[in-house]
């Protein structure tokens, strides 16, 4: 059930197209018994494709609060993010997963695919490490009323429960936003 949920969420968090919709019978069969994913499929398959595509772009491409790149939530656009991306890429390589050309390793569908293939231990480690980002994304999708929230609900329900420290860190990150780096900028010159 874990691997199937991660695999379905990975597939359904990609840009919706004709090929995805053509797989509707297989998707419905694979989602049987998983209420959040079934609810998402009801929306996806009952909405005109152009509207689904528009919603996807507005949700994930035009809003920073609901981006699909997990390391951004924790590291912002800093050098630490570059290191986190490298570590993810090395982890994937060690398990035989290669990325499609130009795909970043922290893209949520990629992280979910890895979790499905590599399993609960090493495979789910990136999801646990980026749990704060997942929760912020889930929260942003819920606040905006996006049907994609159902997919995040299904994924987060499988992961270990949040601790008090997790909740405090998520709250702080929600208030402060991702870290920023001001390397090479002189504050004195801007008085």
């Amino acid at each position: 059930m874990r691997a199937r949920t991660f695999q379905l969420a990975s597939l359904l968090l990609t840009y919706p197209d004709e090929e995805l919709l053509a797989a509707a019978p297989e998707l419905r069969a694979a989602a049987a018994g998983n209420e959040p994913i079934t609810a998402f499929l009801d929306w996806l398959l009952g909405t005109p494709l152009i509207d689904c595509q528009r919603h996807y772009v507005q949700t994930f491409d035009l809003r920073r609060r609901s981006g699909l790149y997990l390391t951004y939530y924790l590291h912002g656009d800093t050098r630490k993010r570059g290191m986190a991306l490298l570590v993810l890429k090395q982890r994937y390589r060690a398990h035989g997963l290669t990325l499609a050309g130009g795909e970043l390793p922290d893209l949520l569908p990629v992280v979910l695919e890895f979790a499905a293939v590599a399993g609960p231990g090493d495979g789910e480690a990136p999801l646990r490490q980026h749990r704060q980002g997942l929760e912020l994304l889930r929260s942003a999708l819920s606040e905006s009323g996006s049907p994609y929230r159902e997919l995040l609900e299904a994924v987060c329900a499988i992961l270990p429960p949040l601790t008090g420290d997790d909740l405090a860190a998520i709250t702080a990150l929600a208030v402060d936003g991702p870290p920023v780096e001001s390397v090479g900028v002189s504050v004195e010159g801007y008085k």
Side-chain angles (χ1 to χ4, degrees):
M1 181 71 169
R2 294 172 80 87
R4 184 169 12 134
T5 298
F6 291 143
Q7 190 66 48
L8 280 168
S10 171
L11 183 61
L12 295 171
L13 280 164
T14 60
Y15 184 75
D17 58 18
E18 294 286 348
E19 186 178 346
L20 182 65
L21 296 183
E26 294 87 357
L27 291 170
R28 285 222 183 264
N34 190 320
E35 283 185 43
I37 292 182
T38 299
F40 175 79
L41 282 172
D42 289 344
W43 171 78
L44 179 70
L45 300 173
T47 305
L49 178 59
I50 190 71
D51 292 337
C52 292
Q53 291 171 331
R54 184 178 298 117
H55 180 77
Y56 185 93
V57 169
Q58 289 173 342
T59 300
F60 297 119
D61 296 342
L62 301 179
R63 293 185 190 139
R64 279 189 176 231
R65 289 193 62 219
S66 56
L68 291 174
Y69 296 95
L70 295 181
T71 59
Y72 177 77
Y73 292 97
L74 196 56
H75 302 296
D77 286 324
T78 66
R79 286 179 283 182
K80 286 183 180 180
R81 181 173 185 215
M83 288 305 301
L85 290 171
L86 180 62
V87 168
L88 272 174
K89 204 172 214 179
Q90 290 170 341
R91 181 185 299 257
Y92 296 163
R93 193 174 303 131
H95 286 274
L97 179 68
T98 55
L99 299 174
E103 211 166 52
L104 289 177
D106 67 334
L107 181 66
L108 183 54
V110 173
V111 176
L112 289 166
E113 180 183 342
F114 179 67
V117 172
D122 218 21
E124 292 179 23
L127 290 172
R128 291 189 303 271
Q129 290 167 345
H130 294 282
R131 183 64 187 271
Q132 295 173 14
L134 283 171
E135 288 298 326
L136 287 173
L137 175 57
R138 186 184 61 74
S139 176
L141 294 174
S142 292
E143 286 173 17
S144 70
S146 173
Y148 284 95
R149 73 186 179 280
E150 301 289 355
L151 301 177
L152 270 289
E153 292 290 340
V155 167
C156 290
I158 294 173
L159 297 174
L162 295 169
T163 65
D165 288 344
D166 291 332
L167 293 171
I170 291 166
T171 300
L173 190 55
V175 170
D176 299 336
V180 292
E181 200 166 53
S182 56
V183 176
V185 176
S186 171
V187 178
E188 292 176 30
Y190 292 98
K191 289 184 179 180

